[in-house]
Amino acid sequence: MGKLAKVSKKKPASGVEQESYYVPAEQSVELSKALSRTLEKLEEVVARDTVNVIREGILWSRIQPQIKKLGLTLSDLAHILQVSERTIGRYTPETRLDRHASERILLLENLIGQGRQAFDSNLTHFATWLRRPNRQFDHQTPLSLLDTFIGFMEVNQALIRYDNGVYI
């Protein structure tokens, strides 16, 4: 009989092992490849759905509660969305944002999610962190970098590092 590999089913949220069983190592490799292919297909579907959401435009009401919790000002939003404060002032909850603004809102939502994770769901601490000059950003605030896609990625990576205990 060939080598056996342990396969475990885990609860997604807690990561606590729920059930384990052994399968032949060859079968384990096949299962792993099948799972990998399935995840790749899922990522493609999610990406297509995200593109469609951006093209349709996001409703302004979708992000308003999170903006309030973070204490973002009209000026902050104008900086992030690359539109004038006057334009933002004209938005109603039913306003559908254009593709550019919708994409930035999705980036902001992703960043807020990463911030929630890094700061244990404490949006007040996350909001403070966004406004505090940071050495890893050449003493700029993370918020000031959110006017570019690369800035969003840099801030997101910093949050991931922070969440994993890597402090720079």
Side-chain angles (χ1 to χ4, degrees):
M1 184 168 183
K3 291 185 177 183
L4 295 179
K6 183 177 181 182
V7 177
S8 301
K9 290 184 180 177
K10 295 184 179 187
K11 292 182 182 176
S14 65
V16 176
E17 191 171 304
Q18 188 177 27
E19 179 182 335
S20 296
Y21 53 94
Y22 292 89
V23 296
E26 302 81 32
Q27 188 178 0
S28 174
V29 170
E30 289 173 26
L31 288 171
S32 178
K33 287 179 182 177
L35 178 60
S36 180
R37 285 190 302 272
T38 302
L39 288 174
E40 286 174 10
K41 288 178 184 176
L42 180 60
E43 286 172 355
E44 288 174 17
V45 169
V46 169
R48 275 195 306 271
D49 288 347
T50 302
V51 168
N52 289 335
V53 166
I54 290 169
R55 287 178 177 159
E56 290 171 13
I58 291 176
L59 286 175
W60 179 241
S61 59
R62 175 174 168 164
I63 192 74
Q64 283 181 310
Q66 294 177 55
I67 289 169
K68 288 179 182 173
K69 287 179 184 175
L70 281 177
L72 294 176
T73 65
L74 210 57
S75 176
D76 295 333
L77 292 170
H79 175 76
I80 293 168
L81 298 179
Q82 298 291 291
V83 297
S84 71
E85 290 180 34
R86 190 171 175 194
T87 297
I88 293 173
R90 288 193 296 258
Y91 289 163
T92 66
E94 296 80 30
T95 300
R96 270 205 191 274
L97 303 176
D98 66 17
R99 290 177 183 193
H100 181 74
S102 292
E103 185 170 46
R104 290 188 170 276
I105 290 296
L106 286 178
L107 289 169
L108 183 59
E109 284 180 340
N110 182 56
L111 198 70
I112 291 169
Q114 194 63 50
R116 282 182 194 274
Q117 186 172 334
F119 290 94
D120 296 324
S121 297
N122 189 328
L123 283 180
T124 304
H125 288 159
F126 175 52
T128 301
W129 181 84
L130 281 173
R131 295 180 183 288
R132 188 171 289 150
N134 195 308
R135 186 176 54 195
Q136 65 185 318
F137 304 128
D138 293 328
H139 301 283
Q140 298 177 71
T141 66
L143 188 60
S144 71
L145 301 176
L146 302 183
D147 60 336
T148 66
F149 177 78
I150 298 298
F152 268 102
M153 297 302 101
E154 287 295 317
V155 172
N156 194 54
Q157 286 299 313
L159 287 168
I160 291 169
R161 286 191 299 270
Y162 181 83
D163 189 37
N164 288 303
V166 178
Y167 304 101
I168 297 176

